[in-house]
Amino acid sequence: MEIAPVTTETPPDDAPVIVWFRRDLRLADNPALAHALATGRPVVPVYIHDEGGTVRPAGAASLWWLDGSLRALAADLAAKGAPLVLRRGNCEAELRHLIAETGAATVFLNRLFEPEAWSRDADIAHGLKAEGVECRGFNGSLLARPGTVLTGSGGPYKVFTPFLKTLLAGTEPSPPVPAPAAVSGVGTLASACIDDWSLKPTRPDWASGFVGTPGEAGAAAALAAFVDHGLGTYSRDRDRPAVPGTSRLSPHLHFGELCPWRAVAAARSAAADGRVPGPEAEKFVAQLGWRDFSTHLLHQFPAMADRAFRPDYDAMPWREDPAGLAAWQTGQTGFPIVDAGMRQLWATGWMHNRVRMIVGSFLVKDLLIDWRVGERWFWNTLVDADPGNNIQNWQWIAGSGADAAPYFRVFNPVTQGEKFDADGRYVRTWVPELRRLPDRWLHAPWTAPPEILRQAGIRPGHDYPRPIVDHARARLRALDALRTITPARNSDD
Ligand code: FAD
């Protein structure tokens, strides 16, 4: 968070300041809001639902979370004295209307660093400046602003570990800033009604099983619960999908209901008090570092939004496989850990990180389907769908990203299941048709003797699909595909 005092150029002393909320849906630790309040001027908080613009529209599951988060922010702001103004349409046009209505001379915002939003915001700032309205941007979403974590020669990092080291050594933690006691607004302004935006699905309400409590209070509660119950065993449990061993903070962080520095501070203070071992806290901080790394990369290499970070991977001979894709999307591949993950995603809007890696590998390697297809599905189905994290992680899985898993390391969905879901609790939760199958065959039901299958009530191909690929052969096909793009460099060892 940038804390430097703000001096505004001063048209009328009482000209209000617009605070343009976007993915910073909180009152505490919110630099744009804090600086707006520090001017002593009335504040006009606005959220604009961007329509028809150049920024990739949020996916369906994200919109569900956004609905809850906006309602929470609106309630919090109303309680402080400044109702949230909701507008819908072209962001610049809506800001101009609001400026005309209020006489505001400044717009404060917390920056979005992904390329499309970054250039949209730059255009808006340029356009408003020509009319004497100043736009001021702050970093409220990342531990460090992209462009400030650089190698010795001044370039961006492409490898995570040194990035993290420089990030943590060279960035001043943002001190916590409590939510303001009051926000003085400007009286009643026209505002859209969130119910009319239909952000949540209704007919049918396929999001009824989504988990999490959107909003700043929900974020604070999730952080506190994790510090009390998960952080102490984070490195042991974070890879076990049946165990609630991770923070579940991802949608809260994506929508800016929580400042990442507050999460760092909570983890480190638990370590300092002796409530959790220090290395556990630092392991969690490192994951927050991956979040920064992902967005820094996307900001610095905008082409990676839809092109391989390592350009030779754009020549990968991806397959068109509508039937395979549909089986993957609906959790009907015949590989229990893959199907469990895809069903968890569909039912809850979230999937465990280990399983994201397994299902991602299955799509790009076993099915040889383009990582962008998987990225799009996740974009629509994850409540935490995030431009930087989603793209970077899909490229990591595909082997085409910065510091990526090598393409020739193909996850075996059976051994991954046996290792990370050894007692089968995760698979049995999400693939209930297999619940009576003994552990020994649970992750590879096609290997079970007919008698065992009969006792478990499973008719292969009826109650549960047969595997849609032979993993060993699919792996060789993936390696052959890889050799076509990088014949000399890669090997299968
Ligand atoms: P925790 O383990 O508690 O981690 C704390 C926080 O650190 C997370 O909330 C997240 O903000 C950050 N983090 C953790 N792991 C990663 C990572 N690998 N990369 C970047 N940040 C990380 N995460 C998203 O937030 N949005 C996405 O769209 C997204 N898409 C992904 C796609 C694929 C194919 C894969 C393999 C991973 C993806 N991730 C994404 C990263 C990761 O799976 C989630 O952040 C994590 O599972 C969220 O759960 P949590 O909050 O309990 O994580």
Side-chain angles (χ1 to χ4, degrees), residues 234 246-250 287 353 356 384 386 389-390 393:
Y234 182 63
T246 65
S247 69
R248 303 291 286 253
L249 284 172
S250 48
Q287 291 311 117
N353 180 60
R356 292 186 203 204
D384 65 23
D386 180 84
N389 284 358
N390 206 28
N393 276 286

Side-chain angles (χ1 to χ4, degrees), residues 406-450:
Y407 187 87
F408 58 80
R409 297 245 162 83
V410 181
F411 279 52
N412 179 324
V414 175
T415 51
Q416 287 282 312
E418 288 168 350
K419 182 164 178 199
F420 296 108
D421 186 37
D423 62 7
R425 262 198 296 151
Y426 182 71
V427 159
R428 289 193 177 91
T429 301
W430 295 108
V431 190
E433 59 269 40
L434 298 180
R435 71 183 172 278
R436 290 167 56 204
L437 196 60
D439 291 354
R440 180 170 166 197
W441 296 283
L442 186 67
H443 291 287
W446 62 92
T447 61

